[in-house]
Amino acid sequence: MMGHRGAGRDCGGPGRQNGARGSAVGLGGVSDTGGYRGRNRPGACRVPRAVSAVWQNPYLNVFKHFKVEEWKRSTKEGDVTTFMDKTLKGTVYRIRGSIPASNYIQLPKTSTQSLGLVGRYLYLLFRPMPNKYFVVHLDVTAEDNQVVRISFSNLFKEFKSTATWLQFPFISQPRLPNLVGAAPANVRWTCLMLDLHYILSMYLNRRYSHLKSVKLCSNLLVKNLCTSDLLFDPGVTFSEARQANLACHGMSPMPREMAFPVPKGEKWHDRYDYIRYTSQLYERAVLSPAHLQQISKSPACLRKLCRSSLGTGSPLWDLILPLILAFVLQALWTQNNSAVVYPCHAVIVTMQIQTGEQRFFVGHTDKVSALAFNGNSTLLASAQTGPLSVVRLWEFPKGNCLSVFKTHVRSLTSLSFSYSGAVLCGIGKDGHGKTMVMVWNTAQVTRGGEVVVLAKAHTDVDIQNLKIAFFDDTRMVSCGRDNVRLWRVRSGALRSCPVNLGEYHSLEFTDLAFEEGHSAERDFVCSKSGHILEMDYKNVCIRSARRLLPSQPSQQQAKQACSAGPGIAINSISVSSTFCATGSEDGYLRLWPLDFSAVILEAEHEAPVSSVCISPDSLKVLCTTTTGNLGYLDIQSRDYSTLMRSHTDSILAFSVEGIRKQMATVSQDNTIRVWDLVTMQQLYDFTAADEMPCAVAFHPTQQILACGFDSGMVRTFSLAASDLLVEHKQHRAAITGLTFSPDGNFMFSSCSQGTLALYNCVVQKSHVLRVLGNVVVRDAGSGPDALVLSEDSRLLAFVGPSKFIVTVMEACSLDELLKVDISIFDLDSTALDSAARICFAPVPQGQLLVSTSSNKILVLDAKSGRLVREVPSVHKLSCSSLSLSKDARYLLTAGDKVIKVWDYQIHPLSQVYIGHSEPVRHVAFTPDQEHVVSVGDAIFLWDFLALSAEGSPPAVYFLLCVAASRKETKGPKSQCSIRPDSYRHFTPRFKASVFSSPPAGSEVLKLKAVIGYNGNGRGNMVWNPDTGFFAYTCGCIIVVEDLHSGSQNHWLGHAEEVSTLAISHDAQVLASASGRRNGDTHCQICIWNIQDGVCTRHLFHHETQVQAMAYSRDDRFLITLGDYSDQTIALWDTYTYELMSSTHISEPVHDVAFNPLSHGELACVGRGAVTFWLLEQRGANINLKVHQAPVPDALGLVELTSLCYGADPLLYSGTNTGQICVWDTETNRCFMTWEADEGEIGVLVCRHNRLASGSNTKRIRLWAVAAVEELRLRGSDARSSSVLLEHEMTLDGTIVSAAFDDFLEMGIVGTTTGTLWYINWTESTSIRLISGHKNKVNEVSFSPDETHCATCGEDGSVRIWSLGSMELVVQFQVLNQSCQCLAWKPQPIGARGAESQHVVAGYSDGTIRVFSISRTEMELKMHPHAVALTAVAYSTDGEIILSGGKDGLVAVSSPRTGMTVRILADHKGSPITVIQCTGKQYYDFGVEGSELWLATSSDRRVSVWASDWLRDKCELLDWLSFPAPAVPEGLSSLPPSLAAFCPWEHGTLVYVGFGMQKEAVFYSLRKKQVVEKISLPYFAMSLSLSPAARFLAVGFGERLLRLLRGPAEPEQDYAGHDDAVHFCRFTPSGRRLFTASYNELLVWEATDHDPS
């Protein structure tokens, strides 16, 4: 769903779900695999209920409400007991017995009573008993008071139904065929959801009223059941629901009292089953192996350069570590409250919370396990894991390491600094596994002294945490399982005593905290059971105890007993002087007063909270979760900010996409994540529930992501459509290699069994070309370098078929070219050398690099296989990854947890960079060569700083041509019929129609609105930020729109498509250009007075099309530029608009511009050169001095496609290969170029020191060019490194027009998809202003209340518009299909207006889709036709859908059942053009039925039918056939045959089409004859009859719209279309008329119902 004018919000993207498996009910639902998959909105499809539902919202806990345990309002029979279930950790009901009818629970107590539950969805939480049978009966009441029993059981073998009973078989394991019977031994707890509304409607055609009774029969366990109008997803937490915006899709997390418990670290769907049967689909919770979720994230992280390398020498490069994304479990505040400190594996990171700026502390060689600050954050202590842990003390402000000392314990788990920083204590394990407490004296470390052990002690008790009392450096408190102890250092000994816990002696204590600023009397300890104990330090006992329960009842402020139910498992606690913060296992961060009377504030997370920390100013609370998320809660604003997201396990591989600067990573946590490399925001998150992704690759040009899994599956995803494209199952083992060819034509994959597959990726859905077995080395492990491609996409290389062989193949065919035996190169070695990783050097090098098991890199000739050279001793261990820069100057290798950068060309000089705590799995350059990415334990993004290669600048020569210009230069004109290689060059859309000018007269219709923007134009949008004037073109119409109110004015003066616009600098005059109309010899240029919208001049000079126009800075001149066929530049005097000069040019020119700082200077760009023009006026004569300057030779043969002037004396030009050239207009030479894009740059706009560029890669970029003027002084030595890319946005199409304000802060941009975007660089926002169909509009239909209309088009979209504002409200998109027809459902009697709005659409693949407007979803998909649909209509009551196909068959389908009930073949062989329904008296015309409908086919035949669908009656009433002459020669296609019922003459229909005469025929069904004829000037292309007055609207191929009343009445003709008027339709009230001409939609308003 797309917004329009920024009014909408995207709510149509897919949500992330986890997979599930297990049991399923054997019900058949309707689902769709194409287009949008909608979701129910809460209460979106309710029907009137007899029972009040207010008290049942939002859901009703049935067992709790009816107090089942008391058996007063319910009854039990037979063996029904309660017991404690270990899985759910709560009481459940067990119903056992061999006879289900004798062992059951029934609600309500007697059959004469009724539950009266009106919730649409019933949720049953149960578990079938293994190897047993069960039965569940639900009695539901329909609106007609009929009671229907719905039963499901594993006793039933098949589905059965009667008028009052539906029986569904319960399938225990749906993945195994024909498994109906007793529940299996591994059956799991199940949440079953039934859509009672849909079941009654689908199977019995009844409307659901309420649930009457429930009967649960043996053998099963049941926890609870509830009813609701909300669609719950039990596998989603509340935080996940908020992040994925599930409420927008009608989804909600399961209420806590109905939720199944999930142990820490596990997933809901791994333990339980979720089965749902809804109107959308019947499925398990696993929709596909991977699901996409749009993730919201905190603001982008800014980068701080911090040196993090170790090594010797002075290489010409450096790696700077600006950003790390990693798993976070602990974090601390700094004293100034502005930054947080957290460990990231072996690196310690400091992050500024406002800017995201990171600073790093590098030195640890293993994971950092604990951190601690002293009181004023001047000292930081950090401990690392490992057999012999070490502790580092850091001078935090400067980042210097003051001391490193061994701890003599294994794996320190906790550190605590005294407030003064003089004492440090830690907890760890000794060599025998006993707990050990160490205390060190750190008082002298800031003065260069050593760290001394004060005391140490062994203990048998468990200690989870230990902290030094802030009031005494010698006193400490610890807590752990079953104990809280007080410690004290005295005389070099460390002694402890236990606190008397009394009845709380068996609790598992997890954390402790001192209240700042108070004595030892305020010490708090928390536990896994929810208890918080306040210690009495003096008396070594408990002062008070409180227990935090999930419901937090107010009366529980005193001491609680341990048996008072399950409490909140608290993992962490932090205390300030006024409140306490707790982090718990349920994912909540809660703030409490110190008496714990009530929750002050809480924030829910998607995973358990691992630590909390209150800031020193007590205004923020820092929080980490077990999934590695880091964030903080601002108490004053109550806002929660996420600082960091990350994978929760090792990252296996990554892929970087250069066009949109995105990176995809795969991890052992079963997720695939996509990141924005510029902002490092997480964009997408794919989750595979039962599979682990092992390889990933981006398509080089398309928004397609491929991923390989350990199951052998290869899947491709469309990031643009957020959808799974295709699954490939060629492999049976884990994927070890996956890559695309650099040209994007092929994809390759390999698996651990040695199979290699080749795919064709020319189309979006790839398909397999060839599969080879046993060619890739087996069991080599997953690696991103397993398959590598040469830069020219010709060669594929890999290790195989054995580990000693490297094979090179032809990429496009997998034909073997070369095999190289690696083991023979080292004859002196005692062991055979094998290949590990490989990579190609750039094409000119022709080399293949191979890393070996002997830690060498072999450089081979890729053609002959000979050894060129070798690099020995690359790493101590095997090289895990290698990558070569594009210029073949630098080589990256990874191994031994380090990264090395090598000078590849000169000598084996390397630089070593540390930071990873685990082996680096993959390292590579980004496509722009400015960064290096390495992954393993975390994602490291390094800045790559290297000196560029020095070289002599290319010589640039200029050709000076000076000529005196005359009125018109008659010279040789090159007639160029080949369009240049530039999208910037305008080409009009082909039209078979010709224009016919209408006569003037009084108008009944007034053009009200135009929907759409012509994306085929070039520079056809103007906006003046000073006056607010905004205009754009749609076909031959210029639309002037008020950006504030949205009101439009329409300037009609052109007959052909307007190609371009130009506005004067004073915003008083607008120039517009279009092609030549029929009969004219020259193009038309209109000059408009902006104040009154009047065309004051018509200019004719160019013969074909006008490519571009521009006004001089003083508005004295207008320059117009012809296209590649015209090749003329014309100069006009704007005082008189007389032609002053015209010059023929030898090469096509693409763009022209005046110098804004000089009235007489202009420039134009074309093939390989810029032409500078100087206007010299002497009296009435104009002389043009011309200087043509070629591009630098280094650019080769390019087209200069765009230009704009910058600060004096600079000129910028773009090329069709993506470079921007900077020219000095004083010397007319190019002194600098830079690679600005991957595609053609067609738009350039410069203001002050900023430059905007737009290209056919759909990107618009903002550049900082302040340094260019200084670089100009260096001449050809200038380098482009000082030109900075400030911002970038990707839109929906190629950029064709742009207008910005004076500071390039905001503007409007047009694209080829027919969209105008509002761009705000300051706020980084892009909002749709104007949007329309990209291709032909096929149909328009209106809602019965005339508040909305629907349109469909060849682009496959169905768009819903508001008739009041003409703004886009909703869009439904089906990919790769054309929507041919649609109809709006009539308003059912007694139905609510908003909830009964439905649209049916017919598609080119023969399918019909029904969309709900209120729920913005697809409700039904049918496939009644084998060919494309051409017409569709609802019956008058909306209960039947009539559809016609291209083969002439008419299908009668029921939208309730989704079944096609009848096929009519009377028109077989000729496409159906029209289907229309109308009402009639039941016995009118002598036939039964209350409905009359007609079908028209293109063979000029009309059938009229009378029907009564409820009685299955459909009778042919009349059959009409209209004669026609032989088809005239040269006529490519015949006009359509169209018919419609006459709304003002019951029993009469109107027909137009190809025939003996050009006329409209009125035929009476009563008289069986033609009663009236109206002559037409041409054969009609479209027809519509007004329901309000005797108006007949007819559209013609001559671009004319005619309004008729009768044969003797005057007709009225209307222009404004630039192609055939192929569609017209009156609104139900007759007040408006919609007409369509290709993709343009015109809205006309009737000013008077009587044309006379």
Side-chain angles (χ1 to χ4, degrees), residues 1213-1344:
S1213 64
T1215 71
N1216 63 341
T1217 55
Q1219 294 94 358
I1220 292 180
C1221 307
V1222 190
W1223 304 77
D1224 185 342
T1225 60
E1226 292 180 351
T1227 60
N1228 293 346
R1229 65 184 180 89
C1230 175
F1231 64 88
M1232 188 178 79
T1233 64
W1234 78 86
E1235 295 286 340
D1237 215 314
E1238 285 76 26
E1240 176 183 335
I1241 298 174
V1243 174
L1244 285 176
V1245 180
C1246 186
R1247 299 285 190 272
H1248 300 288
N1249 292 321
R1250 307 176 93 190
L1251 175 71
S1253 64
S1255 71
N1256 58 359
T1257 61
K1258 304 181 182 181
R1259 288 190 297 237
I1260 184 163
R1261 288 176 162 176
L1262 183 64
W1263 304 87
V1265 292
V1268 173
E1269 168 60 21
E1270 180 181 348
L1271 294 173
R1272 181 181 66 92
L1273 302 177
R1274 302 182 186 178
S1276 57
D1277 293 331
R1279 295 291 181 263
S1280 60
S1281 57
S1282 297
V1283 178
L1284 303 178
L1285 179 61
E1286 283 191 8
H1287 213 299
E1288 175 184 305
M1289 292 186 188
T1290 301
L1291 304 180
D1292 60 347
T1294 297
I1295 314 299
V1296 293
S1297 61
F1300 285 89
D1301 64 359
D1302 291 337
F1303 297 95
L1304 269 184
E1305 293 178 346
M1306 59 181 177
I1308 301 173
V1309 175
T1311 65
T1312 51
T1313 57
T1315 307
L1316 287 175
W1317 295 85
Y1318 166 73
I1319 303 295
N1320 192 314
W1321 293 118
T1322 305
E1323 300 176 359
S1324 301
T1325 57
S1326 58
I1327 301 172
R1328 294 176 189 266
L1329 288 178
I1330 308 296
S1331 181
H1333 285 275
K1334 182 180 180 181
N1335 303 111
K1336 183 181 178 182
V1337 177
N1338 288 326
E1339 184 79 59
V1340 181
S1341 187
F1342 306 96
S1343 62

Side-chain angles (χ1 to χ4, degrees), residues 759-778:
Y759 311 84
N760 187 332
C761 295
V762 176
V763 295
Q764 193 176 46
K765 291 192 175 182
S766 54
H767 60 273
V768 178
L769 295 178
R770 192 176 183 187
V771 179
L772 301 178
N774 299 319
V775 293
V776 182
V777 63
R778 288 171 171 258

Side-chain angles (χ1 to χ4, degrees), residues 1082-1095:
H1082 293 86
C1083 298
Q1084 181 184 21
I1085 299 175
C1086 294
I1087 306 299
W1088 303 86
N1089 185 326
I1090 290 180
Q1091 296 297 326
D1092 51 19
V1094 175
C1095 180

Side-chain angles (χ1 to χ4, degrees), residues 1321-1631:
W1321 293 118
T1322 305
E1323 300 176 359
S1324 301
T1325 57
S1326 58
I1327 301 172
R1328 294 176 189 266
L1329 288 178
I1330 308 296
S1331 181
H1333 285 275
K1334 182 180 180 181
N1335 303 111
K1336 183 181 178 182
V1337 177
N1338 288 326
E1339 184 79 59
V1340 181
S1341 187
F1342 306 96
S1343 62
D1345 57 4
E1346 209 170 313
T1347 59
H1348 295 83
C1349 72
T1351 62
C1352 69
E1354 297 284 352
D1355 55 8
S1357 66
V1358 173
R1359 307 186 183 210
I1360 311 299
W1361 309 81
S1362 169
L1363 280 181
S1365 62
M1366 294 316 303
E1367 292 187 355
L1368 183 64
V1369 178
V1370 178
Q1371 176 174 329
F1372 303 96
Q1373 183 73 49
V1374 176
L1375 301 178
N1376 304 320
Q1377 297 296 332
S1378 168
C1379 187
Q1380 303 287 340
C1381 49
L1382 61 77
W1384 204 296
K1385 182 179 180 180
Q1387 186 79 30
I1389 300 176
R1392 301 181 186 178
E1395 297 180 357
S1396 61
Q1397 301 289 326
H1398 293 80
V1399 168
V1400 61
Y1403 290 85
S1404 55
D1405 61 350
T1407 58
I1408 291 176
R1409 290 173 170 86
V1410 178
F1411 300 100
S1412 170
I1413 308 305
S1414 59
R1415 293 195 295 272
T1416 65
E1417 65 181 5
M1418 188 192 75
E1419 287 194 346
L1420 178 65
K1421 176 186 175 183
M1422 298 180 286
H1423 204 151
H1425 297 271
V1427 296
L1429 271 81
T1430 52
V1432 69
Y1434 272 104
S1435 61
T1436 54
D1437 59 0
E1439 297 298 321
I1440 291 293
I1441 296 175
L1442 301 167
S1443 57
K1446 198 173 183 179
D1447 56 2
L1449 298 182
V1450 177
V1452 182
S1453 307
S1454 169
R1456 287 187 175 273
T1457 63
M1459 299 174 62
T1460 300
V1461 298
R1462 187 187 293 255
I1463 297 289
L1464 303 176
D1466 300 74
H1467 291 272
K1468 187 175 182 180
S1470 184
I1472 302 298
T1473 56
V1474 176
I1475 295 178
Q1476 186 187 8
C1477 300
T1478 187
K1480 78 174 187 70
Q1481 296 296 322
Y1482 194 79
Y1483 292 103
D1484 205 1
F1485 301 105
V1487 292
E1488 296 184 18
S1490 58
E1491 185 166 320
L1492 206 63
W1493 63 278
L1494 63 82
T1496 309
S1497 56
S1498 58
D1499 58 359
R1500 300 171 301 283
R1501 287 179 169 86
V1502 181
S1503 60
V1504 185
W1505 307 76
S1507 58
D1508 185 348
W1509 301 116
L1510 292 177
R1511 300 185 180 183
D1512 197 25
K1513 290 185 177 182
C1514 185
E1515 183 177 346
L1516 182 64
L1517 177 62
D1518 209 337
W1519 180 270
L1520 310 178
S1521 182
F1522 295 90
V1527 179
E1529 293 185 4
L1531 191 63
S1532 59
S1533 61
L1534 293 177
S1537 300
L1538 306 172
F1541 288 111
C1542 184
W1544 61 79
E1545 191 67 45
H1546 186 63
T1548 301
L1549 62 84
V1550 181
Y1551 171 85
V1552 294
F1554 181 67
M1556 306 301 293
Q1557 302 292 332
K1558 301 179 181 71
E1559 58 187 4
V1561 178
F1562 288 74
Y1563 178 85
S1564 173
L1565 296 174
R1566 300 184 188 278
K1567 299 179 180 180
K1568 304 292 183 180
Q1569 64 181 19
V1570 175
V1571 294
E1572 187 178 354
K1573 295 182 178 180
I1574 300 178
S1575 296
L1576 301 176
Y1578 317 100
F1579 287 115
M1581 294 291 292
S1582 56
L1583 170 71
S1584 183
L1585 283 73
S1586 171
R1590 294 179 63 89
F1591 286 155
L1592 185 72
V1594 183
F1596 302 103
E1598 287 68 22
R1599 313 181 188 179
L1600 198 65
L1601 173 68
R1602 172 163 288 191
L1603 197 62
L1604 300 164
R1605 185 172 185 184
E1609 300 292 338
E1611 67 276 353
Q1612 293 199 352
D1613 293 337
Y1614 299 89
H1617 305 88
D1618 81 324
D1619 205 347
V1621 186
H1622 68 270
F1623 182 85
C1624 59
R1625 182 78 76 236
F1626 276 103
T1627 58
S1629 66
R1631 297 190 183 96

Side-chain angles (χ1 to χ4, degrees), residues 846-868:
Q847 296 173 348
L848 180 65
L849 282 71
V850 182
S851 68
T852 70
S853 58
S854 60
N855 306 327
K856 300 177 183 177
I857 291 181
L858 306 180
V859 182
L860 308 177
D861 185 281
K863 292 184 179 180
S864 63
R866 68 179 180 87
L867 179 63
V868 178

Side-chain angles (χ1 to χ4, degrees), residues 329-355:
L329 280 177
Q330 178 192 5
L332 303 173
W333 285 105
T334 58
Q335 183 63 30
N336 60 5
N337 311 287
S338 64
V340 297
V341 180
Y342 58 90
C344 174
H345 297 275
V347 179
I348 302 168
V349 183
T350 300
M351 177 186 287
Q352 297 293 324
I353 62 173
Q354 296 300 324
T355 65

Side-chain angles (χ1 to χ4, degrees), residues 40-54 56-59 118-121 143 195-198 207-209 227-232 250 252 279 1387-1388 1390-1398 1412 1414-1415 1417 1419 1456:
N40 283 339
R41 293 181 177 276
C45 191
R46 300 174 188 164
V47 296
R49 313 277 176 86
V51 183
S52 173
V54 176
Q56 300 182 25
N57 288 333
Y59 70 95
V118 300
R120 173 174 179 165
Y121 304 111
E143 287 191 345
D195 186 343
L196 302 178
H197 180 282
Y198 179 71
R207 291 184 178 274
Y208 170 70
S209 173
T227 59
S228 177
D229 276 336
L230 300 177
L231 196 58
F232 294 129
S252 302
S279 57
Q1387 186 79 30
R1392 301 181 186 178
E1395 297 180 357
S1396 61
Q1397 301 289 326
H1398 293 80
S1412 170
S1414 59
R1415 293 195 295 272
E1417 65 181 5
E1419 287 194 346
R1456 287 187 175 273

